[in-house]
Amino acid sequence: MDEAQLAQVESLCETLYTGQPSGNGEKITREEAQSRLLSLQSNASFIPQCQYILDRSKSQYALLVASNSLTELITSHWNNFTIAQRIDIRNYVLGYLANNGPTLQDFVTLSLIKLVCRITKLGWFDDATHRELTEDVTKFLQATVGHCILGLKILNQLVDELNIPTSGRTLTQHRKTSVSFRDLCLFKVFQLGLTTLKQLQTRAISTANHREEVILGEQALGLTVRCLNFDFIGTNPDESTEDVGTIQAPTNWRPVLQDPSTTELLLDFYANTDPPRSNKAMEAVILICSVRRSLFPSDKEREAFLGRVMTGIRELLKNQTGLQHQDNYHQFCRLLGRLKANYQLSELVKTEGYLEWLELAASFTTQSIRNWQYSTNSIHYLLALWGRLVAAVPYVRPETGAKGHVQALENHVLRVVECYIESMLGSVETVLRSEGALEDPLEDDGSLMEQLDRLPTICRFQYSSVATILVGKFDPLLEKYREIMSHLVNSSTESAPPNVAQQAAILEGQLTWLTYMVGSIVGGHSWSSSRIGNGEETLDASLSKRVLQLAQGMDYRLTSSNGVGKADSKLEVAMLYYFQNFRRVYMFMWEQSSSGSSSISTMGSMKLESVPSTKQKVYQNMFEHMGLGDHTVVANLIVTKIGKNLKFWPDEHDIVAKTLNLLTDMAGGDSSSKLLLTLDTVKYLASHHTHDEFPFLNVPSNARHRTTFHAILVRLLLSPGGEEKLGLTFDKFMKPIVETMSQLGALDSSQLRSEAARMPLIGVFRDLRGICMSLHNRRTFGMLFDIIEPQHLPLLPKVADLWYDQPDVMISLLRFMHEFCHNKANRVNFDQSSPNGILLFRATSDVVCAFGRRTLATATPATGDIYKMKYKGMSIALAVLNSALGGNYVCFGVFALYNDPALDSALDISLKMALSIPLDHVIAYPKLSKSVFGFMEIIFRNHIKTTMALDTSIFMQLMNAVHEGLQSSDAQISSMCANSIDHLATFYYENSGKDKPEVHNLNKHLSAQPNLFSSLTATLFNLLLFGAPQNHWAVMRPMLSLMLASESSFTAYKDHLMRTQDSANQGKLNEAFNKLLADVNRSLESANRDRFTQKLTAFRVSTRGFLTL
């Protein structure tokens, strides 16, 4: 590289990162600039050019590109360098950082640091020099302040690099390096971080100004946290969760972690700095508090450590140190929540000042809850602390530790719960009066559910007292709400005078909170033997009664006003949450209860126990205390509410979705589904499932809910005894849908394509899909097939032909066809003499061909969402045909025998659709690619004769697509493509030399493209040796069949690979190939395939260690 080329690179970098055109006047887009600069990463020979840029360039962007390119080249071509070369590159970059680091921009520095750390990781076992990076960095720490900051950044990146697996390396390689780093260096790195913090605390770094001290503090604290967060034992903790697991620190860390000065240092940093340093310090304290129990040699040391932590927390709570900062506050809540997770309650109660700590923690919790608007995302950590404390009470003797600790805990828990109830009820009015300035905690679904998940344990600890508080809040609110509703009568809340509307909104908000709380607490009922029978069910009944009375009141108003008098949608969602929890806890016993309460056995010779079980007693006691009637009355009330929601809330997507989820769960349970069949409301739903009764069915955005609704009803109808109990046959249930189909079928083409037919068409196909989803056996599928065939099947291709360009109609039709053709549980299984399988395939072929022909004749839209407008329909159409071709219910040879074009037409149109889509688009859309490559795999597997009969140009286009798909990062796609190659190679190996038309056709294709097998062999071996690990199993499958089909291709690849290696590697590679081929037979039997696959794995592992690219 010379100065002119350097100037060109700098210009391209400027364009890439700033978007400004280059200085030489040439107009280049960012994409073109990126494409040109990426060539620097294409080959190891570009390393000198990258070094030249680093040495000569003044452009920070050029330095960044050079550094990133070096990192990529070193990672990809690691085996190309000798050990000495690797050390030279490492020393060069370290020297460059030492000389220029403090003057470089941060982004360049970080990129260079990443390069040094990557070299260190990859070369860890090559030479001791790589393992001495920590010592080298110590020199940085002892130089200028700028170098000290640089050194800490290197250590931070080094810990990250050694802790996080690198793409392309096996987990075994990663853990081997990681463990060695842990044993040799990590503790020293941790100590360097702490030493820097001590120096900052004592102002020992006198040359640093305030800004540099802040940066040093951030880097040192970050390093401390990273070291403590290190994956010490390879458990790969889930990084998506905020909760800290146990820190498995090695034993030699004990003196530092146990030393009081370590915790004091971090707490001092927390107290005397601002975020982000203070919250990082608190995070480090959380991690130290989470170290494994066995790190301490005895309970005495552990108790002393816990005592110090408790004292530190008490001091922070007393002084409210740093808690005015949101980030500090959040981390402190995490610390409190984490404390009980890592220590037993029996240990906590023995610590000095436990009762004072409990008092302070309770005060802090209540203060946080009262200031909910600042702490919404942190409250659940505090609730988790109290939940863990009360859950452990049964396992601690009352006389252990501080006197009266159980009584103190009971008092504080009650105080916390009462404060929570008061504050959440008070929040409603505060939010309302803020006029949008404050976020409503009821609308923060994630945080709300976090809190509700933790409520049951806390509330059930003092359940009687908590229930009394809740009842005391619920009754007056319910009374006031009834009073307001009686004034509003049949008018909506919005039409009321402003003061009445506001009062109603406050009451509904407060009732929403109470409904959520009761739902949460009732959902926490335990059927375990230790808790059952202690009378808690009567408290559940008392609270549930009020919620159900509220539901009845809301229903009455809704019905009497014909849907005008609606409650707040949030209250409706809370009611559904309550119903879900009530169903989960109190619905699984309904069948037993109803059979147990019957005096006469209906089970023939089986005698029922005369004495009900404890669970049945509790269950019956629950409904007796509720005083609303037996379980069937309550179930009917819930289902009635479901019906009213579906009838009167058609436009509220969330309410409709959650209502149907509730109905799905009720219909999915064995005993609850049997109970549903006895309810009048369910009978009404099953016999009136039209949009006249339930307007939500006619709302376009609810189209998928139509499918769910009908799937639930058919599941109930076709369950054992369903038709009899509901007083409805499947034919009668289908009548409204059949009538609509008949009306649509009678329309001429112009009427059928009119806007008036759009919603009926979408509705019918969505409904049919839902019905089809609930057909799980031959009998029930046959019932639907007999209704649709032959009268209504002709409608389907007609619709496909007329509505091909309207995605909403076509997607509904094609999704129904996909479900209808899907032979799940072998349900599409007709009699031997039945032509139904062929008729079903014909109808499928007609739909796919009608849609395919019209779509192929239509130009691809230049604007808009191309996937939604065109590719989505093509994707589902191919999936429909894939289901039909792979369903195993059609003898496809019949079509050629009787000159029926259905199969050939379907294959021809589908192939044209698959090949009409640009390959980069196919790869870009995952669902589309699965349909396209799934289709290709099926035609190679089951229709090889048709595939071989294609024109050579089309066949090669097909093979090119398979070749590209084989290299996909999606394991499922690469697997389908590998199977396609396996089917082709197996066919060629088993039929080569035979006088068959398809063999002659394949030979013709191979004559036109003689390197087909050799290119596939090379790609498969390259993927095996150099590709991503997730694709290995997929690419191994066709290797044996391909080697047997074309031994010359394998030999050519072997020779080529040999030539790319030096003489030392050639000997090793030849030995590895000899081992691979030893004891492998020339056959494609399963045992031989499996043996060869195992050998391929061993071959890959042995060669990856020395192969150079």
Side-chain angles (χ1 to χ4, degrees):
M1 182 176 277
D2 55 28
E3 290 295 332
Q5 289 172 313
L6 176 62
Q8 189 181 11
V9 169
E10 288 177 342
S11 173
L12 289 170
C13 293
E14 194 73 26
T15 302
L16 176 63
Y17 286 105
T18 65
Q20 300 300 320
S22 53
N24 58 12
E26 188 184 359
K27 286 192 175 180
I28 295 176
T29 64
R30 274 183 163 171
E31 289 74 18
E32 289 173 304
Q34 183 181 27
S35 176
R36 290 195 198 180
L37 290 169
L38 279 173
S39 63
L40 283 172
Q41 302 179 8
S42 61
N43 198 296
S45 60
F46 283 106
I47 286 177
Q49 282 92 318
C50 292
Q51 288 180 321
Y52 184 90
I53 295 169
L54 287 173
D55 288 336
R56 303 290 181 88
S57 179
K58 296 287 186 287
S59 164
Q60 299 287 323
Y61 297 127
L63 297 176
L64 176 63
V65 166
S67 174
N68 286 343
S69 300
L70 272 174
T71 305
E72 189 60 37
L73 289 169
I74 295 288
T75 307
S76 304
H77 302 274
W78 181 251
N79 287 336
N80 287 24
F81 307 104
T82 64
I83 291 173
Q85 286 173 323
R86 294 166 185 171
I87 292 171
D88 287 345
I89 297 171
R90 167 197 180 275
N91 292 341
Y92 166 77
V93 181
L94 262 182
Y96 187 89
L97 277 169
N99 296 328
N100 305 302
T103 63
L104 296 171
Q105 292 271 10
D106 278 350
F107 56 83
V108 181
T109 311
L110 286 172
S111 181
L112 288 164
I113 288 170
K114 186 176 180 181
L115 172 57
V116 172
C117 295
R118 180 64 54 84
I119 295 170
T120 303
K121 178 179 184 172
L122 296 176
W124 190 260
F125 294 110
D126 287 353
D127 190 271
T129 309
H130 293 294
R131 298 191 288 277
E132 291 166 3
L133 182 61
T134 314
E135 282 74 20
D136 294 336
V137 171
T138 309
K139 296 170 189 171
F140 280 78
L141 299 179
Q142 292 163 354
T144 65
V145 175
H147 284 92
C148 187
I149 291 171
L150 205 57
L152 289 171
K153 284 181 179 177
I154 294 172
L155 292 176
N156 270 296
Q157 181 62 39
L158 182 65
V159 175
D160 268 351
E161 186 69 46
L162 272 295
N163 194 31
I164 300 167
T166 304
S167 175
R169 281 167 63 87
T170 64
L171 193 59
T172 308
Q173 288 173 315
H174 166 69
R175 283 308 304 164
K176 192 177 174 186
T177 313
S178 184
V179 167
S180 175
F181 172 72
R182 178 199 71 192
D183 295 342
L184 296 175
C185 304
L186 187 61
F187 184 47
K188 184 172 182 183
V189 173
F190 180 57
Q191 287 176 306
L192 287 172
L194 289 177
T195 304
T196 307
L197 289 175
K198 284 173 189 167
Q199 289 174 336
L200 286 168
Q201 186 189 36
T202 56
R203 296 299 176 97
I205 308 175
S206 55
T207 55
N209 59 37
H210 176 69
R211 180 181 160 278
E212 288 169 334
E213 281 186 353
V214 169
I215 297 171
L216 283 167
E218 283 178 18
Q219 292 296 329
L221 286 164
L223 184 59
T224 308
V225 169
R226 278 183 172 82
C227 290
L228 289 167
N229 252 331
F230 195 81
D231 189 7
F232 293 101
I233 57 172
T235 49
N236 289 324
D238 180 10
E239 291 180 2
S240 64
T241 175
E242 267 198 286
D243 204 9
V244 182
T246 303
I247 305 301
Q248 303 288 345
T251 309
N252 63 327
W253 289 43
R254 184 194 296 150
V256 173
L257 294 176
Q258 210 174 321
D259 186 349
S261 64
T262 304
T263 316
E264 285 166 12
L265 171 68
L266 293 168
L267 288 173
D268 181 67
F269 245 87
Y270 168 77
N272 296 310
T273 59
D274 293 327
R277 286 173 295 161
S278 53
N279 59 290
K280 272 288 177 196
M282 182 53 70
E283 194 177 344
V285 172
I286 295 170
L287 292 165
I288 287 178
C289 290
S290 301
V291 293
R292 60 189 170 93
R293 298 174 66 86
S294 51
L295 186 73
F296 300 92
S298 69
D299 288 344
K300 189 176 178 183
E301 275 93 343
R302 184 174 163 80
E303 284 167 13
F305 178 75
L306 177 59
R308 288 194 296 276
V309 172
M310 294 281 277
T311 303
I313 292 173
R314 281 207 314 276
E315 290 304 313
L316 291 177
L317 283 169
K318 274 183 193 172
N319 304 323
Q320 298 283 296
T321 313
L323 296 178
Q324 71 275 19
H325 295 294
Q326 182 75 34
D327 293 339
N328 289 357
Y329 171 82
H330 184 70
Q331 292 294 351
F332 187 70
C333 289
R334 287 185 68 202
L335 173 62
L336 285 175
R338 184 68 206 151
L339 199 62
K340 171 58 190 72
N342 213 45
Y343 296 93
Q344 304 296 339
L345 182 58
S346 55
E347 295 170 316
L348 291 173
V349 296
K350 290 177 189 171
T351 55
E352 186 184 341
Y354 167 72
L355 292 178
E356 186 192 359
W357 174 85
L358 203 61
E359 167 71 39
L360 288 165
S363 299
F364 177 70
T365 306
T366 52
Q367 184 187 347
S368 298
I369 292 169
R370 285 194 191 102
N371 294 303
W372 54 267
Q373 56 265 56
Y374 308 110
S375 59
T376 311
N377 293 326
S378 310
I379 288 175
H380 67 271
Y381 289 116
L382 300 174
L383 294 178
L385 166 68
W386 294 102
R388 286 167 177 155
L389 286 171
V390 302
V393 168
Y395 308 103
V396 180
R397 291 179 180 174
E399 63 272 15
T400 307
K403 189 177 179 183
H405 67 84
V406 177
Q407 182 65 44
L409 184 60
E410 288 173 354
N411 294 337
H412 291 314
V413 166
L414 196 57
R415 184 176 140 207
V416 166
V417 171
E418 191 167 6
C419 177
Y420 182 79
I421 296 168
E422 290 277 0
S423 299
M424 294 306 110
L425 294 183
S427 71
V428 177
E429 191 167 354
T430 310
V431 169
L432 207 64
R433 295 195 189 287
S434 74
E435 296 180 347
L438 284 176
E439 285 187 22
D440 189 346
L442 284 170
E443 290 176 1
D444 184 354
D445 206 43
S447 194
L448 177 65
M449 289 304 138
E450 287 269 20
Q451 293 172 28
L452 294 175
D453 286 348
R454 286 162 173 78
L455 270 189
T457 315
I458 307 169
C459 293
R460 285 182 173 273
F461 182 57
Q462 290 288 92
Y463 196 13
S464 179
S465 304
V466 171
T468 305
I469 296 168
L470 284 170
V471 168
K473 297 287 180 192
F474 217 123
D475 285 346
L477 289 175
L478 195 53
E479 191 57 43
K480 281 183 195 169
Y481 189 60
R482 281 175 181 157
E483 191 181 325
I484 285 186
M485 292 307 113
S486 66
H487 290 309
L488 291 174
V489 198
N490 295 339
S491 58
S492 66
T493 310
E494 292 77 18
S495 64
N499 62 325
V500 176
Q502 188 179 45
Q503 197 179 351
I506 291 169
L507 284 170
E508 284 179 347
Q510 291 174 334
L511 288 168
T512 302
W513 271 111
L514 288 173
T515 304
Y516 269 127
M517 289 175 193
V518 172
S520 168
I521 295 164
V522 169
H525 178 91
S526 171
W527 288 99
S528 65
S529 54
S530 60
R531 296 285 296 275
I532 196 169
N534 60 1
E536 287 191 356
E537 72 279 359
T538 59
L539 300 173
D540 282 350
S542 176
L543 294 172
S544 293
K545 178 182 179 180
R546 284 154 176 84
V547 176
L548 291 170
Q549 284 174 337
L550 173 61
Q552 284 176 316
M554 289 158 64
D555 260 6
Y556 175 75
R557 184 187 173 209
L558 206 53
T559 311
S560 61
S561 65
N562 199 28
V564 175
K566 291 178 180 174
D568 185 1
S569 59
K570 291 196 285 288
L571 179 53
E572 293 285 3
V573 171
M575 195 61 72
L576 290 168
Y577 173 80
Y578 164 79
F579 286 149
Q580 272 288 18
N581 282 353
F582 182 83
R583 173 203 67 77
R584 190 165 41 79
V585 173
Y586 284 110
M587 278 186 80
F588 75 98
M589 293 216 28
W590 280 354
E591 188 189 357
Q592 297 174 36
S593 176
S594 52
S595 61
S597 61
S598 173
S599 55
I600 301 170
S601 170
T602 56
M603 301 175 73
S605 58
M606 287 180 66
K607 290 185 178 178
L608 291 170
E609 292 180 18
S610 55
V611 181
S613 68
T614 310
K615 284 186 180 179
Q616 285 174 331
K617 283 179 183 173
V618 167
Y619 184 82
Q620 288 164 5
N621 201 19
M622 157 82 184
F623 286 99
E624 283 170 14
H625 274 78
M626 206 185 289
L628 297 174
D630 67 4
H631 55 272
T632 52
V633 176
V634 175
N636 205 51
L637 195 155
I638 294 173
V639 178
T640 303
K641 185 81 192 97
I642 288 172
K644 294 289 189 291
N645 283 3
L646 296 177
K647 192 177 181 74
F648 295 118
W649 289 92
D651 300 311
E652 281 290 333
H653 185 78
D654 197 32
I655 291 177
V656 172
K658 287 180 176 173
T659 301
L660 287 172
N661 282 346
L662 173 62
L663 187 57
T664 303
D665 292 338
M666 290 174 78
D670 183 48
S671 62
S672 58
S673 65
K674 288 177 181 174
L675 177 68
L676 288 183
L677 293 172
T678 65
L679 304 179
D680 293 338
T681 311
V682 174
K683 292 175 186 172
Y684 184 84
L685 286 173
S687 54
H688 296 82
H689 54 96
T690 61
H691 61 81
D692 297 329
E693 289 292 333
F694 297 103
F696 87 94
L697 294 169
N698 230 22
V699 176
S701 60
N702 286 334
R704 65 178 57 189
H705 295 320
R706 289 189 75 133
T707 305
T708 310
F709 183 58
H710 283 82
I712 298 165
L713 294 179
V714 172
R715 184 191 300 174
L716 288 169
L717 182 67
L718 297 179
S719 60
E723 291 183 326
E724 184 187 341
K725 288 176 183 172
L726 292 175
L728 187 72
T729 62
F730 183 69
D731 286 352
K732 278 187 184 173
F733 176 84
M734 289 292 297
K735 192 177 176 185
I737 297 168
V738 171
E739 284 175 358
T740 307
M741 289 175 76
S742 299
Q743 290 164 7
L744 291 166
L747 300 175
D748 60 34
S749 296
S750 61
Q751 291 171 321
L752 190 58
R753 183 61 171 88
S754 68
E755 201 58 34
R758 183 188 294 268
M759 276 313 293
L761 283 168
I762 292 171
V764 158
F765 295 136
R766 290 281 184 176
D767 297 349
L768 285 171
R769 183 185 173 210
I771 290 162
C772 211
M773 284 165 71
S774 291
L775 308 179
H776 297 293
N777 56 47
R778 176 181 171 179
R779 179 185 69 84
T780 54
F781 183 83
M783 287 160 64
L784 178 65
F785 188 84
D786 290 342
I787 289 170
I788 294 179
E789 203 282 326
Q791 191 177 348
H792 303 294
L793 275 182
L795 173 67
L796 308 182
K798 196 175 174 185
V799 172
D801 187 58
L802 293 170
W803 288 88
Y804 69 95
D805 59 339
Q806 298 297 309
D808 52 351
V809 179
M810 275 317 303
I811 299 305
S812 300
L813 168 60
L814 291 170
R815 284 205 189 284
F816 159 61
M817 287 303 298
H818 191 208
E819 184 63 41
F820 195 46
C821 296
H822 183 29
N823 191 11
K824 62 181 177 188
N826 203 28
R827 65 181 183 178
V828 190
N829 185 359
F830 301 107
D831 293 334
Q832 269 188 327
S833 57
S834 169
N836 286 350
I838 292 167
L839 293 173
L840 176 56
F841 182 78
R842 264 195 197 157
T844 306
S845 170
D846 290 345
V847 170
V848 171
C849 290
F851 171 71
R853 283 193 194 99
R854 299 301 295 265
T855 301
L856 289 168
T858 309
T860 301
T863 57
D865 186 343
I866 189 172
Y867 178 74
K868 187 178 178 183
M869 297 300 294
K870 188 163 187 177
Y871 294 161
K872 187 175 183 179
M874 295 170 87
S875 170
I876 303 172
L878 287 170
V880 169
L881 195 64
N882 292 351
S883 279
L885 292 172
N888 207 25
Y889 49 81
V890 187
C891 175
F892 288 107
V894 170
F895 293 100
L897 196 61
Y898 292 100
N899 295 320
D900 188 332
L903 175 63
D904 288 342
S905 299
L907 292 175
D908 178 52
I909 291 292
S910 299
L911 191 61
K912 284 177 179 172
M913 278 200 289
L915 295 179
S916 71
I917 307 168
L919 203 50
D920 56 334
H921 287 195
V922 173
I923 301 289
Y925 298 106
K927 288 183 180 177
L928 177 62
S929 56
K930 279 167 188 162
S931 294
V932 169
F933 292 118
F935 171 71
M936 291 178 184
E937 195 271 333
I938 279 184
I939 62 171
F940 274 106
R941 171 161 39 104
N942 295 339
H943 303 280
I944 195 90
K945 192 173 181 179
T946 306
T947 311
M948 293 304 116
L950 296 169
D951 286 345
T952 298
S953 60
I954 295 174
F955 179 79
M956 285 307 155
Q957 195 180 346
L958 198 62
M959 291 311 301
N960 180 48
V962 170
H963 194 185
E964 285 297 318
L966 185 65
Q967 299 165 71
S968 167
S969 57
D970 187 315
Q972 188 180 348
I973 293 169
S974 59
S975 179
M976 286 190 284
C977 293
N979 286 339
S980 301
I981 295 167
D982 185 41
H983 299 317
L984 176 66
T986 301
F987 171 78
Y988 186 73
Y989 173 68
E990 291 177 346
N991 294 279
S992 184
K994 293 182 181 178
D995 187 15
K996 289 183 176 181
E998 51 267 40
V999 177
H1000 298 318
N1001 286 331
L1002 179 55
N1003 286 332
K1004 182 182 73 175
H1005 299 323
L1006 291 174
S1007 301
Q1009 192 74 29
N1011 65 344
L1012 175 64
F1013 283 147
S1014 57
S1015 65
L1016 290 173
T1017 304
T1019 301
L1020 285 166
F1021 267 99
N1022 285 337
L1023 283 171
L1024 178 71
L1025 295 174
F1026 310 112
Q1030 67 265 29
N1031 288 358
H1032 291 156
W1033 181 253
V1035 301
M1036 287 183 205
R1037 178 78 184 162
M1039 279 185 166
L1040 180 61
S1041 54
L1042 203 53
M1043 284 168 62
L1044 292 175
S1046 177
E1047 290 186 36
S1048 59
S1049 298
F1050 171 67
T1051 309
Y1053 177 78
K1054 179 183 169 183
D1055 293 343
H1056 164 73
L1057 193 62
M1058 286 283 199
R1059 288 195 298 273
T1060 63
Q1061 306 299 306
D1062 58 28
S1063 55
N1065 280 357
Q1066 283 180 358
K1068 294 179 191 173
L1069 189 57
N1070 195 42
E1071 186 184 346
F1073 271 118
N1074 290 337
K1075 284 183 182 177
L1076 173 66
L1077 298 174
D1079 303 325
V1080 177
N1081 303 324
R1082 289 175 176 277
S1083 80
L1084 292 173
E1085 293 173 1
S1086 296
N1088 196 43
R1089 276 184 185 267
D1090 292 343
R1091 192 183 315 119
F1092 188 68
T1093 300
Q1094 289 169 358
K1095 284 176 169 289
L1096 278 170
T1097 305
F1099 173 75
R1100 177 184 177 279
V1101 171
S1102 65
T1103 53
R1104 289 257 310 194
F1106 61 82
L1107 274 181
T1108 59
L1109 281 170

